[in-house]
Amino acid sequence: MTRVMYFESNRSSAEGMLAVGTVVMNRLSDPRYPHSVCGVVGQRNQFADGVMWKPMREGSSLRLARQMAEKVLHGYRHSGVGDAKFFHTEGYSFPYTNMHYTWVAGGNAFYEKY
């Protein structure tokens, strides 16, 4: 969980990290996805390249990611994200009509698909 928060969110945004962690947990509770955090995060083409193996630098960003990961793993969720299972970099737009945006945080836009 720490790794996905560190690599997928603005590294200084606790809210963004919490939102990313909420998406991971939303997927974890959906039978269409793997049944472990590592399984969800390690799914091919779903999260940042190297999320499972790139080195993380010690410092305040990693400490924050660890702190937020603990909170998410103990049940804390971002209420604005809702049931969203997807996100992309904030500022991008797509022509699809099946995307319902729920929140923007940490440099990402979170959405549900219909």
Side-chain angles (χ1 to χ4, degrees):
M1 183 64 74
T2 300
R3 297 186 69 79
V4 74
M5 290 177 166
Y6 180 87
F7 287 112
E8 287 287 7
S9 180
N10 176 323
R11 293 184 185 157
S12 63
S13 171
E15 181 186 22
M17 290 182 183
L18 177 60
V20 168
T22 300
V23 165
V24 171
M25 297 309 286
N26 286 347
R27 288 183 177 200
L28 187 62
S29 66
D30 186 322
R32 295 175 290 180
Y33 293 91
H35 303 296
S36 70
V37 170
C38 287
V40 169
V41 174
Q43 269 194 296
R44 199 166 182 192
N45 300 319
Q46 295 299 301
F47 295 101
D49 288 339
V51 69
M52 297 298 283
W53 56 266
K54 279 185 181 176
M56 297 183 290
R57 298 180 120 190
E58 288 296 331
S60 60
S61 296
L62 182 54
R63 283 191 297 278
L64 180 60
R66 285 179 177 142
Q67 178 184 39
M68 296 311 296
E70 279 296 315
K71 287 185 174 191
V72 168
L73 292 172
H74 286 96
Y76 197 64
R77 301 291 184 271
H78 192 295
S79 61
V81 171
D83 293 329
K85 293 180 184 74
F86 305 95
F87 61 92
H88 60 70
T89 303
E90 179 183 4
Y92 287 179
S93 62
F94 299 92
Y96 310 117
T97 58
N98 66 337
M99 298 167 74
H100 170 71
Y101 288 92
T102 60
W103 202 259
V104 175
N108 292 312
F110 297 84
Y111 63 96
E112 299 173 1
K113 284 185 183 179
Y114 295 106

